[in-house]
Amino acid sequence: MQSIQWFPGHMAKTRRKITEDLKLVDVVAEIVDARIPYSSANPVLRNIVKNKPKIILLNKSDVADSKETQKWINKYKEKSEIAIPIDCKTGRGLPQFKAAIREALKDQIAVWDSKGMIGRPIRIMVLGIPNVGKSSLINKLIKGAKGKAEVQDKPGVTRQNRWFTVEKGLELLDTPGVLWPKFEDQTVGEKLAFTGAVKDQVMDIELLAYRLLENLMQHYPSAVRTRYKLDDTVNEKSAGHEILEQIGRKRGMLISGGEIDLERASIMVVDEFRAGKLGKITLERADEF
């Protein structure tokens, strides 16, 4: 496994800024990727947030295995944590998110009301690793309001903290995405690379495709077989390069001499997984953590 180290200087600065701004908000919403809830939850952020009320948003649940997502929700509940499956692109789950915020802060809201602070805005800090959907969430919440958060399909777009009014009584603080200094568990870095949370240049694309295919064949073999029309010579024990070679051949990705264009095949496999074209897939099971 290739070692992944990615901690640009602006991320160290962002971590300090988040710590400073935490006192400005009432609740924290951490967005994680529903396909990899464990790997996309930043342990550094956990230490920063500490006892601040927190809601976990399982984004991209539209391309995750719904049964596994429910198991994750139950697991969070066992820890007295609120988790809500959402899809930032369609807005699914956002009404439940707003309701959960008010439920989590009902005691605090009662205190504000008793002090004559009726209607005091609830301030939410939105946290998460790069490319997990923070800006898309904010844009969906504020709808057609001016000052949309910038959205691009690449990690690390947001560079500074920005406030947005979602609706009367609800304000959001956007923060740049933060990864932690290093990945102690290289499989965590690997899964982040699968979903595009770290830049593709960090890992060799062919190695990434090999490892992704091996992972998929362990848990969703029929999805891989169906998508790429693989024959019986490929199974759960096949090495990643064997699976990729057959995929490349089946798709006619050949170069001079009849050799398979593995780079082209690798890019296709990774892109199709990220786009949900292999079906609804979750790479991390709740009962494994």
Side-chain angles (χ1 to χ4, degrees), residues 19-77:
T19 303
E20 294 171 4
D21 289 348
L22 199 60
K23 62 181 178 293
L24 304 176
V25 302
D26 308 304
V27 62
V28 170
E30 181 180 8
I31 307 181
V32 300
D33 190 318
R35 298 167 297 179
I36 51 168
Y38 175 79
S39 293
S40 59
N42 193 331
V44 170
L45 295 184
R46 291 192 202 110
N47 294 333
I48 295 173
V49 173
K50 296 180 180 177
N51 297 323
K52 183 75 70 172
K54 184 174 76 169
I55 294 173
I56 297 162
L57 299 177
L58 293 157
N59 189 31
K60 304 183 182 178
S61 59
D62 57 313
V63 291
D65 186 328
S66 57
K67 292 182 179 178
E68 293 300 324
T69 297
Q70 186 57 54
K71 290 178 181 178
W72 275 102
I73 291 171
N74 295 339
K75 187 177 185 70
Y76 288 121
K77 189 175 181 180

Short mmCIF file of all heavy atoms in Angstrom, two decimals, residues 19-77:
data_model
loop_
_atom_site.label_atom_id
_atom_site.label_comp_id
_atom_site.label_asym_id
_atom_site.label_seq_id
_atom_site.Cartn_x
_atom_site.Cartn_y
_atom_site.Cartn_z
N THR A 19 -10.98 25.93 16.01
CA THR A 19 -10.93 25.91 17.48
C THR A 19 -11.36 27.26 18.04
O THR A 19 -12.12 27.34 19.01
CB THR A 19 -9.50 25.56 17.97
OG1 THR A 19 -9.12 24.29 17.41
CG2 THR A 19 -9.46 25.47 19.49
N GLU A 20 -10.89 28.34 17.43
CA GLU A 20 -11.23 29.68 17.88
C GLU A 20 -12.72 29.98 17.67
O GLU A 20 -13.38 30.58 18.53
CB GLU A 20 -10.40 30.73 17.11
CG GLU A 20 -8.90 30.67 17.40
CD GLU A 20 -8.11 31.56 16.45
OE1 GLU A 20 -8.75 32.27 15.63
OE2 GLU A 20 -6.87 31.55 16.52
N ASP A 21 -13.26 29.56 16.52
CA ASP A 21 -14.63 29.91 16.17
C ASP A 21 -15.69 29.03 16.82
O ASP A 21 -16.88 29.33 16.75
CB ASP A 21 -14.80 29.85 14.64
CG ASP A 21 -14.08 30.99 13.94
OD1 ASP A 21 -13.66 31.93 14.64
OD2 ASP A 21 -13.94 30.94 12.71
N LEU A 22 -15.26 27.96 17.45
CA LEU A 22 -16.21 27.04 18.06
C LEU A 22 -17.08 27.73 19.11
O LEU A 22 -18.25 27.40 19.28
CB LEU A 22 -15.47 25.85 18.68
CG LEU A 22 -16.29 24.59 18.98
CD1 LEU A 22 -16.89 24.06 17.68
CD2 LEU A 22 -15.43 23.54 19.65
N LYS A 23 -16.50 28.73 19.77
CA LYS A 23 -17.25 29.44 20.81
C LYS A 23 -18.35 30.33 20.23
O LYS A 23 -19.23 30.81 20.95
CB LYS A 23 -16.30 30.29 21.65
CG LYS A 23 -15.55 31.37 20.90
CD LYS A 23 -14.63 32.14 21.82
CE LYS A 23 -13.82 33.20 21.06
NZ LYS A 23 -12.85 32.60 20.12
N LEU A 24 -18.33 30.53 18.91
CA LEU A 24 -19.32 31.38 18.25
C LEU A 24 -20.59 30.62 17.87
O LEU A 24 -21.59 31.22 17.50
CB LEU A 24 -18.74 32.01 16.98
CG LEU A 24 -17.46 32.83 17.14
CD1 LEU A 24 -16.97 33.29 15.76
CD2 LEU A 24 -17.67 34.02 18.06
N VAL A 25 -20.55 29.29 17.96
CA VAL A 25 -21.67 28.48 17.49
C VAL A 25 -22.31 27.69 18.63
O VAL A 25 -21.72 27.51 19.70
CB VAL A 25 -21.24 27.51 16.37
CG1 VAL A 25 -20.65 28.29 15.21
CG2 VAL A 25 -20.24 26.48 16.89
N ASP A 26 -23.54 27.21 18.36
CA ASP A 26 -24.30 26.46 19.35
C ASP A 26 -24.25 24.96 19.12
O ASP A 26 -24.38 24.16 20.05
CB ASP A 26 -25.76 26.91 19.33
CG ASP A 26 -25.90 28.41 19.45
OD1 ASP A 26 -25.38 28.97 20.44
OD2 ASP A 26 -26.51 29.04 18.57
N VAL A 27 -24.07 24.56 17.86
CA VAL A 27 -24.09 23.15 17.51
C VAL A 27 -23.16 22.91 16.32
O VAL A 27 -22.93 23.83 15.52
CB VAL A 27 -25.53 22.68 17.18
CG1 VAL A 27 -26.07 23.44 15.98
CG2 VAL A 27 -25.61 21.18 16.97
N VAL A 28 -22.63 21.72 16.25
CA VAL A 28 -21.73 21.36 15.14
C VAL A 28 -22.40 20.29 14.29
O VAL A 28 -22.99 19.34 14.81
CB VAL A 28 -20.39 20.82 15.68
CG1 VAL A 28 -19.56 20.21 14.56
CG2 VAL A 28 -19.62 21.93 16.38
N ALA A 29 -22.35 20.49 12.98
CA ALA A 29 -22.82 19.47 12.05
C ALA A 29 -21.61 18.94 11.30
O ALA A 29 -20.96 19.68 10.56
CB ALA A 29 -23.83 20.06 11.07
N GLU A 30 -21.28 17.68 11.52
CA GLU A 30 -20.15 17.08 10.81
C GLU A 30 -20.68 16.22 9.67
O GLU A 30 -21.44 15.28 9.88
CB GLU A 30 -19.27 16.23 11.72
CG GLU A 30 -18.08 15.65 10.96
CD GLU A 30 -17.15 14.79 11.78
OE1 GLU A 30 -17.47 14.49 12.93
OE2 GLU A 30 -16.09 14.42 11.24
N ILE A 31 -20.26 16.55 8.47
CA ILE A 31 -20.66 15.78 7.30
C ILE A 31 -19.64 14.68 7.06
O ILE A 31 -18.43 14.93 7.01
CB ILE A 31 -20.77 16.65 6.05
CG1 ILE A 31 -21.67 17.86 6.31
CG2 ILE A 31 -21.29 15.85 4.88
CD1 ILE A 31 -21.85 18.75 5.11
N VAL A 32 -20.13 13.45 6.92
CA VAL A 32 -19.27 12.33 6.56
C VAL A 32 -19.84 11.68 5.30
O VAL A 32 -20.98 11.93 4.92
CB VAL A 32 -19.16 11.29 7.70
CG1 VAL A 32 -18.58 11.92 8.95
CG2 VAL A 32 -20.51 10.63 8.00
N ASP A 33 -19.04 10.87 4.67
CA ASP A 33 -19.47 10.15 3.47
C ASP A 33 -20.14 8.86 3.91
O ASP A 33 -19.53 8.02 4.58
CB ASP A 33 -18.24 9.85 2.59
CG ASP A 33 -18.61 9.32 1.22
OD1 ASP A 33 -19.52 8.48 1.13
OD2 ASP A 33 -17.96 9.73 0.23
N ALA A 34 -21.40 8.67 3.54
CA ALA A 34 -22.16 7.50 3.97
C ALA A 34 -21.54 6.19 3.50
O ALA A 34 -21.80 5.13 4.07
CB ALA A 34 -23.60 7.59 3.47
N ARG A 35 -20.69 6.25 2.48
CA ARG A 35 -20.04 5.03 1.98
C ARG A 35 -18.86 4.63 2.85
O ARG A 35 -18.49 3.46 2.90
CB ARG A 35 -19.58 5.25 0.53
CG ARG A 35 -20.71 5.52 -0.44
CD ARG A 35 -20.19 6.03 -1.77
NE ARG A 35 -19.52 7.32 -1.62
CZ ARG A 35 -18.95 7.99 -2.61
NH1 ARG A 35 -18.97 7.47 -3.84
NH2 ARG A 35 -18.37 9.16 -2.40
N ILE A 36 -18.27 5.63 3.55
CA ILE A 36 -17.13 5.36 4.43
C ILE A 36 -17.26 6.21 5.69
O ILE A 36 -16.44 7.10 5.95
CB ILE A 36 -15.79 5.63 3.71
CG1 ILE A 36 -15.77 7.04 3.07
CG2 ILE A 36 -15.48 4.57 2.68
CD1 ILE A 36 -14.39 7.47 2.60
N PRO A 37 -18.27 5.96 6.52
CA PRO A 37 -18.52 6.82 7.69
C PRO A 37 -17.35 6.90 8.66
O PRO A 37 -17.09 7.96 9.24
CB PRO A 37 -19.73 6.15 8.36
CG PRO A 37 -20.41 5.43 7.24
CD PRO A 37 -19.30 4.92 6.38
N TYR A 38 -16.64 5.80 8.85
CA TYR A 38 -15.51 5.81 9.79
C TYR A 38 -14.33 6.59 9.21
O TYR A 38 -13.78 7.49 9.85
CB TYR A 38 -15.08 4.38 10.12
CG TYR A 38 -13.83 4.32 10.97
CD1 TYR A 38 -13.89 4.54 12.35
CD2 TYR A 38 -12.58 4.07 10.40
CE1 TYR A 38 -12.75 4.50 13.13
CE2 TYR A 38 -11.43 4.04 11.18
CZ TYR A 38 -11.51 4.25 12.54
OH TYR A 38 -10.37 4.23 13.31
N SER A 39 -13.94 6.25 8.01
CA SER A 39 -12.75 6.86 7.41
C SER A 39 -12.93 8.35 7.11
O SER A 39 -11.96 9.11 7.10
CB SER A 39 -12.36 6.13 6.13
OG SER A 39 -11.92 4.82 6.42
N SER A 40 -14.17 8.77 6.85
CA SER A 40 -14.40 10.18 6.51
C SER A 40 -14.72 11.05 7.72
O SER A 40 -14.94 12.25 7.59
CB SER A 40 -15.52 10.31 5.48
OG SER A 40 -16.73 9.75 5.96
N ALA A 41 -14.74 10.44 8.92
CA ALA A 41 -14.93 11.21 10.15
C ALA A 41 -13.56 11.58 10.69
O ALA A 41 -12.74 10.71 10.97
CB ALA A 41 -15.70 10.39 11.18
N ASN A 42 -13.29 12.85 10.79
CA ASN A 42 -11.97 13.34 11.17
C ASN A 42 -11.75 13.25 12.68
O ASN A 42 -12.41 13.95 13.44
CB ASN A 42 -11.82 14.79 10.71
CG ASN A 42 -10.39 15.28 10.78
OD1 ASN A 42 -9.61 14.82 11.59
ND2 ASN A 42 -10.05 16.22 9.92
N PRO A 43 -10.83 12.42 13.15
CA PRO A 43 -10.58 12.29 14.59
C PRO A 43 -10.04 13.57 15.21
O PRO A 43 -10.25 13.81 16.40
CB PRO A 43 -9.56 11.15 14.68
CG PRO A 43 -8.90 11.12 13.34
CD PRO A 43 -9.96 11.52 12.37
N VAL A 44 -9.36 14.38 14.43
CA VAL A 44 -8.88 15.67 14.94
C VAL A 44 -10.06 16.56 15.30
O VAL A 44 -10.07 17.24 16.33
CB VAL A 44 -7.97 16.36 13.90
CG1 VAL A 44 -7.65 17.79 14.32
CG2 VAL A 44 -6.68 15.57 13.71
N LEU A 45 -11.09 16.54 14.44
CA LEU A 45 -12.27 17.36 14.71
C LEU A 45 -12.99 16.89 15.97
O LEU A 45 -13.53 17.69 16.72
CB LEU A 45 -13.23 17.30 13.51
CG LEU A 45 -12.71 17.91 12.21
CD1 LEU A 45 -13.80 17.86 11.14
CD2 LEU A 45 -12.26 19.35 12.41
N ARG A 46 -13.00 15.58 16.20
CA ARG A 46 -13.64 15.06 17.40
C ARG A 46 -13.01 15.68 18.65
O ARG A 46 -13.69 16.05 19.60
CB ARG A 46 -13.49 13.53 17.47
CG ARG A 46 -14.29 12.78 16.42
CD ARG A 46 -14.34 11.29 16.74
NE ARG A 46 -14.62 10.52 15.53
CZ ARG A 46 -13.74 9.73 14.93
NH1 ARG A 46 -12.52 9.61 15.42
NH2 ARG A 46 -14.07 9.07 13.85
N ASN A 47 -11.69 15.78 18.64
CA ASN A 47 -10.99 16.35 19.79
C ASN A 47 -11.26 17.84 19.94
O ASN A 47 -11.31 18.37 21.04
CB ASN A 47 -9.48 16.10 19.65
CG ASN A 47 -9.12 14.63 19.72
OD1 ASN A 47 -9.83 13.84 20.34
ND2 ASN A 47 -8.03 14.25 19.08
N ILE A 48 -11.42 18.53 18.83
CA ILE A 48 -11.70 19.96 18.87
C ILE A 48 -13.11 20.23 19.38
O ILE A 48 -13.32 21.09 20.23
CB ILE A 48 -11.53 20.59 17.46
CG1 ILE A 48 -10.07 20.50 17.01
CG2 ILE A 48 -11.98 22.04 17.46
CD1 ILE A 48 -9.85 20.94 15.57
N VAL A 49 -14.08 19.49 18.86
CA VAL A 49 -15.49 19.73 19.18
C VAL A 49 -15.81 19.38 20.62
O VAL A 49 -16.57 20.07 21.31
CB VAL A 49 -16.39 18.92 18.22
CG1 VAL A 49 -17.85 19.01 18.65
CG2 VAL A 49 -16.23 19.44 16.80
N LYS A 50 -15.26 18.27 21.10
CA LYS A 50 -15.46 17.80 22.48
C LYS A 50 -16.94 17.72 22.86
O LYS A 50 -17.68 16.96 22.28
CB LYS A 50 -14.68 18.69 23.44
CG LYS A 50 -13.17 18.61 23.24
CD LYS A 50 -12.40 19.48 24.19
CE LYS A 50 -10.90 19.36 23.95
NZ LYS A 50 -10.12 20.25 24.81
N ASN A 51 -17.39 18.51 23.84
CA ASN A 51 -18.76 18.37 24.35
C ASN A 51 -19.80 19.25 23.66
O ASN A 51 -20.95 19.31 24.10
CB ASN A 51 -18.77 18.67 25.86
CG ASN A 51 -17.93 17.68 26.65
OD1 ASN A 51 -17.90 16.50 26.32
ND2 ASN A 51 -17.25 18.15 27.67
N LYS A 52 -19.40 19.93 22.62
CA LYS A 52 -20.36 20.76 21.89
C LYS A 52 -21.40 19.84 21.24
O LYS A 52 -21.07 18.79 20.70
CB LYS A 52 -19.63 21.55 20.80
CG LYS A 52 -20.50 22.51 20.01
CD LYS A 52 -20.85 23.76 20.81
CE LYS A 52 -19.66 24.66 21.03
NZ LYS A 52 -20.04 25.96 21.62
N PRO A 53 -22.71 20.19 21.32
CA PRO A 53 -23.74 19.37 20.66
C PRO A 53 -23.38 19.14 19.20
O PRO A 53 -22.95 20.07 18.50
CB PRO A 53 -25.01 20.21 20.80
CG PRO A 53 -24.78 21.02 22.04
CD PRO A 53 -23.31 21.35 22.03
N LYS A 54 -23.55 17.89 18.74
CA LYS A 54 -23.12 17.55 17.38
C LYS A 54 -24.15 16.67 16.68
O LYS A 54 -24.74 15.79 17.30
CB LYS A 54 -21.76 16.84 17.41
CG LYS A 54 -21.19 16.55 16.02
CD LYS A 54 -19.79 15.98 16.09
CE LYS A 54 -19.78 14.53 16.49
NZ LYS A 54 -18.46 13.89 16.29
N ILE A 55 -24.33 16.93 15.40
CA ILE A 55 -25.18 16.11 14.56
C ILE A 55 -24.33 15.60 13.40
O ILE A 55 -23.58 16.36 12.79
CB ILE A 55 -26.38 16.91 14.02
CG1 ILE A 55 -27.30 17.31 15.18
CG2 ILE A 55 -27.16 16.10 12.99
CD1 ILE A 55 -28.42 18.23 14.79
N ILE A 56 -24.44 14.31 13.12
CA ILE A 56 -23.67 13.71 12.03
C ILE A 56 -24.56 13.58 10.81
O ILE A 56 -25.67 13.04 10.90
CB ILE A 56 -23.13 12.33 12.45
CG1 ILE A 56 -22.16 12.50 13.63
CG2 ILE A 56 -22.42 11.65 11.28
CD1 ILE A 56 -21.91 11.24 14.39
N LEU A 57 -24.09 14.08 9.70
CA LEU A 57 -24.84 14.01 8.45
C LEU A 57 -24.17 13.01 7.51
O LEU A 57 -23.04 13.21 7.10
CB LEU A 57 -24.91 15.40 7.80
CG LEU A 57 -25.59 16.49 8.63
CD1 LEU A 57 -25.51 17.82 7.92
CD2 LEU A 57 -27.04 16.12 8.92
N LEU A 58 -24.88 11.93 7.21
CA LEU A 58 -24.36 10.89 6.34
C LEU A 58 -24.69 11.26 4.89
O LEU A 58 -25.70 10.86 4.33
CB LEU A 58 -24.98 9.54 6.71
CG LEU A 58 -24.56 9.00 8.09
CD1 LEU A 58 -25.59 8.02 8.62
CD2 LEU A 58 -23.19 8.35 8.00
N ASN A 59 -23.81 12.05 4.29
CA ASN A 59 -24.05 12.54 2.94
C ASN A 59 -23.76 11.46 1.89
O ASN A 59 -23.09 10.47 2.17
CB ASN A 59 -23.18 13.77 2.67
CG ASN A 59 -23.56 14.46 1.38
OD1 ASN A 59 -24.72 14.43 0.96
ND2 ASN A 59 -22.59 15.07 0.72
N LYS A 60 -24.27 11.68 0.69
CA LYS A 60 -24.12 10.76 -0.43
C LYS A 60 -24.80 9.42 -0.10
O LYS A 60 -24.40 8.37 -0.62
CB LYS A 60 -22.64 10.57 -0.78
CG LYS A 60 -21.96 11.90 -1.10
CD LYS A 60 -20.53 11.77 -1.54
CE LYS A 60 -19.91 13.15 -1.79
NZ LYS A 60 -18.50 13.12 -2.18
N SER A 61 -25.82 9.49 0.74
CA SER A 61 -26.55 8.28 1.09
C SER A 61 -27.31 7.72 -0.11
O SER A 61 -27.74 6.57 -0.11
CB SER A 61 -27.53 8.55 2.24
OG SER A 61 -28.46 9.56 1.90
N ASP A 62 -27.47 8.54 -1.14
CA ASP A 62 -28.15 8.09 -2.36
C ASP A 62 -27.34 7.05 -3.11
O ASP A 62 -27.90 6.25 -3.88
CB ASP A 62 -28.44 9.27 -3.28
CG ASP A 62 -27.17 10.04 -3.66
OD1 ASP A 62 -26.37 10.32 -2.73
OD2 ASP A 62 -26.98 10.34 -4.84
N VAL A 63 -26.00 7.04 -2.92
CA VAL A 63 -25.16 6.04 -3.58
C VAL A 63 -24.59 5.03 -2.60
O VAL A 63 -23.74 4.22 -2.94
CB VAL A 63 -24.02 6.72 -4.38
CG1 VAL A 63 -24.57 7.47 -5.57
CG2 VAL A 63 -23.19 7.64 -3.49
N ALA A 64 -25.06 5.08 -1.34
CA ALA A 64 -24.63 4.13 -0.31
C ALA A 64 -25.68 3.03 -0.14
O ALA A 64 -26.85 3.21 -0.50
CB ALA A 64 -24.40 4.86 1.01
N ASP A 65 -25.25 1.92 0.41
CA ASP A 65 -26.13 0.80 0.70
C ASP A 65 -27.07 1.20 1.85
O ASP A 65 -26.61 1.43 2.97
CB ASP A 65 -25.27 -0.41 1.09
CG ASP A 65 -26.07 -1.68 1.28
OD1 ASP A 65 -27.23 -1.60 1.71
OD2 ASP A 65 -25.51 -2.76 1.01
N SER A 66 -28.36 1.31 1.59
CA SER A 66 -29.31 1.82 2.59
C SER A 66 -29.36 0.96 3.85
O SER A 66 -29.53 1.47 4.96
CB SER A 66 -30.71 1.95 1.99
OG SER A 66 -31.15 0.70 1.48
N LYS A 67 -29.21 -0.35 3.70
CA LYS A 67 -29.22 -1.24 4.87
C LYS A 67 -28.03 -0.95 5.77
O LYS A 67 -28.14 -0.93 7.00
CB LYS A 67 -29.23 -2.70 4.43
CG LYS A 67 -30.52 -3.13 3.74
CD LYS A 67 -30.46 -4.60 3.37
CE LYS A 67 -31.77 -5.04 2.69
NZ LYS A 67 -31.70 -6.47 2.27
N GLU A 68 -26.88 -0.73 5.15
CA GLU A 68 -25.67 -0.43 5.93
C GLU A 68 -25.77 0.96 6.56
O GLU A 68 -25.31 1.18 7.68
CB GLU A 68 -24.42 -0.53 5.04
CG GLU A 68 -24.11 -1.93 4.56
CD GLU A 68 -23.87 -2.90 5.71
OE1 GLU A 68 -23.30 -2.49 6.73
OE2 GLU A 68 -24.26 -4.08 5.57
N THR A 69 -26.37 1.90 5.85
CA THR A 69 -26.55 3.25 6.40
C THR A 69 -27.39 3.19 7.67
O THR A 69 -27.08 3.84 8.67
CB THR A 69 -27.22 4.18 5.37
OG1 THR A 69 -26.35 4.31 4.24
CG2 THR A 69 -27.47 5.56 5.97
N GLN A 70 -28.45 2.39 7.66
CA GLN A 70 -29.30 2.26 8.84
C GLN A 70 -28.53 1.64 10.00
O GLN A 70 -28.71 2.04 11.16
CB GLN A 70 -30.54 1.41 8.53
CG GLN A 70 -31.55 1.35 9.66
CD GLN A 70 -32.03 2.72 10.10
OE1 GLN A 70 -32.50 3.50 9.26
NE2 GLN A 70 -31.93 3.04 11.38
N LYS A 71 -27.66 0.71 9.70
CA LYS A 71 -26.84 0.10 10.76
C LYS A 71 -25.91 1.14 11.39
O LYS A 71 -25.68 1.13 12.59
CB LYS A 71 -26.03 -1.07 10.20
CG LYS A 71 -26.88 -2.27 9.83
CD LYS A 71 -26.02 -3.38 9.22
CE LYS A 71 -26.87 -4.59 8.82
NZ LYS A 71 -26.06 -5.66 8.18
N TRP A 72 -25.40 2.05 10.55
CA TRP A 72 -24.54 3.11 11.07
C TRP A 72 -25.35 4.06 11.95
O TRP A 72 -24.90 4.49 13.01
CB TRP A 72 -23.88 3.88 9.92
CG TRP A 72 -22.61 3.23 9.44
CD1 TRP A 72 -22.43 2.48 8.32
CD2 TRP A 72 -21.34 3.27 10.10
NE1 TRP A 72 -21.14 2.05 8.24
CE2 TRP A 72 -20.44 2.51 9.31
CE3 TRP A 72 -20.88 3.86 11.27
CZ2 TRP A 72 -19.10 2.34 9.66
CZ3 TRP A 72 -19.54 3.69 11.62
CH2 TRP A 72 -18.67 2.94 10.82
N ILE A 73 -26.57 4.38 11.52
CA ILE A 73 -27.43 5.26 12.32
C ILE A 73 -27.69 4.64 13.70
O ILE A 73 -27.63 5.32 14.73
CB ILE A 73 -28.76 5.52 11.58
CG1 ILE A 73 -28.50 6.37 10.34
CG2 ILE A 73 -29.76 6.23 12.50
CD1 ILE A 73 -29.70 6.50 9.42
N ASN A 74 -27.94 3.34 13.70
CA ASN A 74 -28.18 2.64 14.97
C ASN A 74 -26.92 2.64 15.84
O ASN A 74 -27.02 2.76 17.07
CB ASN A 74 -28.62 1.20 14.70
CG ASN A 74 -29.96 1.12 14.00
OD1 ASN A 74 -30.75 2.06 14.05
ND2 ASN A 74 -30.24 0.00 13.34
N LYS A 75 -25.77 2.51 15.20
CA LYS A 75 -24.52 2.50 15.95
C LYS A 75 -24.27 3.85 16.61
O LYS A 75 -23.86 3.93 17.78
CB LYS A 75 -23.35 2.15 15.02
CG LYS A 75 -22.02 1.95 15.74
CD LYS A 75 -20.94 1.55 14.76
CE LYS A 75 -19.63 1.23 15.48
NZ LYS A 75 -19.72 -0.01 16.27
N TYR A 76 -24.54 4.94 15.88
CA TYR A 76 -24.39 6.27 16.45
C TYR A 76 -25.37 6.46 17.61
O TYR A 76 -25.03 7.04 18.64
CB TYR A 76 -24.65 7.35 15.39
CG TYR A 76 -23.55 7.49 14.36
CD1 TYR A 76 -23.82 7.30 13.00
CD2 TYR A 76 -22.25 7.81 14.72
CE1 TYR A 76 -22.82 7.43 12.04
CE2 TYR A 76 -21.24 7.94 13.78
CZ TYR A 76 -21.53 7.74 12.43
OH TYR A 76 -20.54 7.88 11.49
N LYS A 77 -26.59 5.95 17.43
CA LYS A 77 -27.61 6.09 18.46
C LYS A 77 -27.20 5.42 19.75
O LYS A 77 -27.46 5.91 20.85
CB LYS A 77 -28.94 5.50 17.96
CG LYS A 77 -30.12 5.78 18.87
CD LYS A 77 -31.42 5.28 18.24
CE LYS A 77 -32.61 5.59 19.14
NZ LYS A 77 -33.88 5.11 18.53
#
